[in-house]
Amino acid sequence: MLVLLRQGRISKWFSGIGQEAIATGATLALQEDEWIMPLHRNLGVFTSRKMPLHKLFLQWQGSADGYSSGRERSFHFGSRQHHICGMISHLGPQLALADGTALASKLRQENRVSLAFTGDGGTSEGDFHEALNVAAVWDLPVIFIIENNGYGLSTPVNEQYRCENLVDKAVGYGMSSVQIDGNNVLSVYDTVKGVRDFCIQNQKPYLIECMTFRMRGHEEASGTKYVPKELFEEWSAKDPVKNYEMYLLQQSVLNADSVNHVREELKRYIDDELKVDVKKIIPDTELELKDVYAIADARNRVTIVDNSSPGITIANSSEKRFIDAIKEGLHQSMQMHPNLILMGQDIAEYGGAFKITEGFVTDFGKARVRNTPLCESAIVGSALGLSLEGFKAVMEMQFADFVTVGFNQIINNLAKIHYRWGQPADVVIRMPAGAGVGAGPFHSQSNEAWFVHTPGLKVVYPSSPVDAKGLLIASINDPNPVMYFEHKALYRSVSGPVPDEYFEIEIGKAKWIREGEELSIITYGAGVHWANDYATKHPELSLDILDLRTLLPLDYVAIRKSVEKTGKILILHEDTLIGGIGGEIAAWIIEHCFEFLDAPILRCASLDTPIPFNIELEKNFLANARLDEYIKKLLHY
Ligand SMILES: Cc1ncc(C[n+]2csc(CCOP(=O)(O)OP(=O)(O)O)c2C)c(N)n1
């Protein structure tokens, strides 16, 4: 690998020289259908799972014929066939994915473990704590392996942690653990084999700390100046490959001839595999865009309700509150999908902070309606792990505000995995959002714009009970990660006719609340009610009110239609102004519909401040306080 790197025949490379016994021994100790979440030094995982070398070379060259169509580098890819889920650059999130795949095995009552690696540096990440805690609390058969090679990038372990041994951390999680010599492939193999049996029999996780040393720099360019020379001398005597060879010679398993024979065979194999043709990629923009999302299955048995124009009446409906429509959509989805798992804080017996899942435990059992520890990041990661195993997951954020502590998993893992190596992230995150209830800066935010900026996610934001139910069902049926926003202030204040049956409203389709000619209000969520109330109070005005319903993807056809009708556009949202979705919509209209505009596009948004607690301050903060002013300004332009 070092030679190829110098020749420019592989891209960035993190050497595992000195640590080979861990990845190899651990992988060989597992069954081939057990998931492994490896890291940047774990070539041995990939070779021990018999990934063809030529395809690995193609991957490292960024070839279209590698494992990620040239979209990922080094080991940042996976292969379902090999049950390997490669890391993202961020250290830590891979650990919770193993919780998810292990949960899948547990739910199916299969005798399988999952295994995740971390370095010593990575144990300082919150994700390490969360993943171990969730695995312990949920009794998941996960093996966590720490490769303790003494250093992070250059940071020695005495600047990384204060406990004597990392393995000591296990007791804090109520987990069994062992520290072993990571440079002895037989100890690694035997230990992992025994631990695997333990995890399966006892349905428990286990922590193994493998003591080892990194013989090269963090990556080749970073050098090793910060490492005392004597450490290299000490550890080169413990080289895992040389020592294993010596041991096999001593035991007469090998002799000098057979060693030579093995070496020659390997060299020939490597040289042959290296002859592979690396085809140049010709970028295909359409394909690049298409592969960001998984394609939904043909929807049998699902009625699609098209209520996108005003005046459509829906058959077999009964009056439901916003909250009850969500509850019904979720309940029917649980009936339709036996592989759907709900996870969230206090969602089981307690029924969730807003009581949406009240009674679900009785109907579907605790295995499928799961109370979670306060570990947002690990739960999003577990949801992705479940998805790797063919499950669907809905996670309830207790409040949309708390998504910040699960942000990395959503933005970097859920959103990107399909584009990176073709895996769907079949996960819905329910986001009780919005202000108007005097809940202060951390229980009131409208944070949808954070997610609209992330290719790979879908962002749905219903404003009526019928849309809330139909869009939730559609989100759960969609194989892509969907951020489903539900406005808390609408839960019990808004009612309307909702079909009793199981149905979908199409994601990505806006809806007219009113049709008019004087001025368009393009909005969503609480904004729809503000706009509609305004229109009711001003029957003299002919307002066109468009409820976007989905923010990613946007319904550009509907937006254009509204612009063509009125020529005067007001974008209204509860989110703050700068960087809000209104800016994006305004830019699109100017670019594509300029000739239809009779006035500048105005944006009526909430103040660019955190959300104040005092109800008068909150009212003043919200966009609704300025709606009348903006409408008049635009009408009189
Ligand atoms: C969340 C995060 N922070 C920082 C980095 C940058 N980084 C990459 S590797 C590394 C050191 C990792 O050390 P360790 O976990 O001990 O693993 P090792 O490289 O020694 O195998 C750092 C800081 C990262 N990839 N992810």
Side-chain angles (χ1 to χ4, degrees):
M1 293 305 289
L2 293 176
V3 170
L4 292 174
L5 183 70
R6 285 179 201 128
Q7 292 172 346
R9 296 180 67 193
I10 54 169
S11 56
K12 204 172 175 71
W13 174 246
F14 298 89
S15 167
I17 293 177
Q19 306 183 198
E20 297 95 329
I22 303 168
T24 311
T27 305
L28 292 174
L30 296 197
Q31 300 297 310
E32 285 184 355
D33 64 348
E34 291 176 316
W35 281 96
I36 301 184
M37 284 58 183
L39 285 183
H40 45 294
R41 299 190 199 289
N42 295 141
L43 173 61
V45 171
F46 296 79
T47 51
S48 301
R49 281 271 159 101
K50 298 196 176 59
M51 276 190 173
L53 276 191
H54 73 269
K55 195 152 176 179
L56 280 173
F57 288 133
L58 290 171
Q59 168 65 26
W60 297 326
Q61 287 281 358
S63 159
D65 299 326
Y67 284 96
S68 65
S69 309
R71 292 170 184 156
E72 260 297 11
R73 62 179 210 177
S74 47
F75 285 136
H76 298 189
F77 68 95
S79 160
R80 180 184 274 275
Q81 179 200 348
H82 296 92
H83 289 86
I84 292 175
C85 176
M87 65 188 293
I88 59 170
S89 286
H90 299 61
L91 301 167
Q94 78 283 357
L95 297 161
L97 266 64
D99 287 354
T101 51
L103 175 59
S105 304
K106 192 180 182 81
L107 291 169
R108 292 196 185 115
Q109 298 183 333
E110 290 167 347
N111 289 333
R112 292 200 296 165
V113 295
S114 296
L115 187 156
F117 288 94
T118 175
D120 42 276
T123 63
S124 300
E125 294 287 349
D127 273 324
F128 175 82
H129 159 74
E130 290 198 15
L132 268 69
N133 192 49
V134 169
V137 173
W138 283 0
D139 293 324
L140 302 175
V142 187
I143 304 174
F144 297 102
I145 293 189
I146 304 170
E147 292 184 276
N148 190 340
N149 62 14
Y151 288 86
L153 196 160
S154 73
T155 306
V157 289
N158 62 9
E159 292 182 41
Q160 194 69 250
Y161 55 86
R162 269 291 166 273
C163 50
E164 199 166 329
N165 296 294
L166 281 171
V167 76
D168 299 341
K169 295 198 175 198
V171 72
Y173 299 109
M175 193 183 291
S176 303
S177 62
V178 65
Q179 187 187 62
I180 60 167
D181 173 5
N183 278 27
N184 183 331
V185 71
L186 295 182
S187 332
V188 175
Y189 178 83
D190 282 343
T191 305
V192 175
K193 229 176 169 33
V195 164
R196 177 182 176 275
D197 290 346
F198 171 92
C199 292
I200 287 173
Q201 267 165 31
N202 298 284
Q203 287 296 296
K204 292 274 182 202
Y206 206 101
L207 179 66
I208 304 175
E209 182 181 11
C210 295
M211 305 311 288
T212 187
F213 190 70
R214 194 186 69 201
M215 296 301 285
R216 309 288 308 179
H218 167 64
E219 34 100 29
E220 289 309 306
S222 61
T224 52
K225 273 200 189 125
Y226 47 87
V227 182
K229 280 224 162 45
E230 45 296 2
L231 280 180
F232 284 110
E233 283 154 27
E234 181 190 331
W235 282 91
S236 73
K238 300 187 204 166
D239 183 275
V241 182
K242 271 192 231 149
N243 278 337
Y244 187 49
E245 185 180 315
M246 250 154 45
Y247 170 80
L248 293 175
L249 287 167
Q250 274 163 12
Q251 298 293 313
S252 305
V253 177
L254 294 178
N255 58 36
D257 281 350
S258 54
V259 168
N260 279 337
H261 180 69
V262 169
R263 281 189 192 289
E264 273 164 27
E265 237 180 37
L266 275 174
K267 187 169 179 340
R268 211 175 11 253
Y269 170 56
I270 292 168
D271 287 343
D272 281 353
E273 293 280 300
L274 269 174
K275 286 180 193 144
V276 66
D277 217 12
V278 181
K279 276 187 240 125
K280 238 184 131 188
I281 288 190
I282 302 160
D284 173 348
T285 304
E286 216 169 282
L287 180 69
E288 289 302 291
L289 292 170
K290 183 179 121 318
D291 280 358
V292 174
Y293 293 97
I295 294 167
D297 289 342
R299 314 224 164 144
N300 35 15
R301 286 182 302 160
V302 181
T303 314
I304 313 262
V305 168
D306 179 6
N307 62 344
S308 53
S309 307
I312 296 181
T313 50
I314 309 160
N316 303 324
S317 296
S318 52
E319 192 76 1
K320 291 178 184 96
R321 294 181 304 174
F322 194 80
I323 192 165
D324 299 323
I326 294 174
K327 185 177 178 134
E328 193 171 89
L330 200 56
H331 197 272
Q332 289 177 353
S333 295
M334 286 293 275
Q335 290 169 326
M336 289 301 290
H337 300 289
N339 63 340
L340 173 60
I341 308 298
L342 306 186
M343 300 187 283
Q345 289 156 21
D346 310 292
I347 68 160
E349 291 83 353
Y350 185 71
F354 299 99
K355 303 290 173 202
I356 284 183
T357 50
E358 197 163 45
F360 278 43
V361 173
T362 319
D363 296 345
F364 303 108
K366 280 212 55 142
R368 291 181 64 203
V369 184
R370 306 186 72 87
N371 271 342
T372 71
L374 275 72
C375 297
E376 283 81 359
S377 182
I379 299 306
V380 179
S382 300
L384 183 54
L386 281 171
S387 176
L388 287 174
E389 273 290 300
F391 280 84
K392 286 177 169 291
V394 173
M395 178 195 176
E396 175 178 296
M397 279 292 159
Q398 199 155 68
F399 285 80
D401 309 69
F402 303 140
V403 76
T404 44
V405 277
F407 202 61
N408 184 38
Q409 291 280 25
I410 296 171
I411 297 296
N412 287 317
N413 242 338
L414 295 190
K416 297 180 178 40
I417 198 165
H418 190 265
Y419 176 76
R420 292 170 57 237
W421 58 279
Q423 285 309 299
D426 202 345
V427 178
V428 175
I429 301 188
R430 290 189 30 238
M431 300 278 281
V437 288
F442 306 112
H443 285 78
S444 310
Q445 289 173 80
S446 295
N447 47 21
E448 60 276 9
W450 299 349
F451 303 98
V452 171
H453 188 59
T454 304
L457 298 177
K458 293 191 179 181
V459 180
V460 166
Y461 206 141
S463 72
S464 70
V466 57
D467 292 345
K469 180 175 171 185
L471 280 168
L472 180 58
I473 291 172
S475 300
I476 293 169
N477 286 337
D478 195 300
N480 294 287
V482 182
M483 305 301 292
Y484 176 90
F485 284 84
E486 32 194 87
H487 200 296
K488 305 187 293 283
L490 305 183
Y491 275 154
R492 293 176 171 83
S493 66
V494 171
S495 303
V498 180
D500 301 322
E501 63 169 323
Y502 178 77
F503 71 97
E504 282 188 17
I505 299 263
E506 200 178 327
I507 291 178
K509 229 171 163 199
K511 164 183 173 180
W512 268 274
I513 303 298
R514 283 169 188 256
E515 302 224 42
E517 277 137 34
E518 266 180 289
L519 181 150
S520 300
I521 303 179
I522 298 177
T523 186
Y524 58 93
V528 172
H529 299 279
W530 297 337
N532 204 28
D533 289 350
Y534 189 91
T536 311
K537 281 188 204 134
H538 295 85
E540 73 283 6
L541 299 177
S542 173
L543 299 177
D544 199 66
I545 301 178
L546 187 65
D547 177 0
L548 291 167
R549 300 197 286 190
T550 300
L551 305 179
L552 185 65
L554 276 171
D555 187 346
Y556 292 114
V557 175
I559 293 172
R560 171 189 283 277
K561 244 180 167 171
S562 190
V563 179
E564 286 174 4
K565 268 198 274 181
T566 68
K568 287 191 172 180
I569 303 298
L570 176 66
I571 302 162
L572 169 66
H573 59 58
E574 180 176 327
D575 195 3
T576 51
L577 183 72
I578 297 177
I581 177 114
E584 181 60 33
I585 297 168
W588 186 87
I589 294 173
I590 291 169
E591 207 173 322
H592 299 274
C593 313
F594 185 70
E595 62 276 26
F596 299 104
L597 290 174
D598 295 327
I601 299 166
L602 296 191
R603 290 170 298 156
C604 180
S606 295
L607 294 181
D608 282 317
T609 69
I611 304 169
F613 159 65
N614 176 287
I615 211 83
E616 291 309 318
L617 287 177
E618 190 190 46
K619 258 193 212 154
N620 179 58
F621 159 85
L622 288 170
N624 197 24
R626 287 164 294 282
L627 183 57
D628 180 54
E629 175 194 332
Y630 273 79
I631 290 179
K632 286 195 176 128
K633 201 167 157 185
L634 198 50
L635 283 172
H636 298 137
Y637 181 83

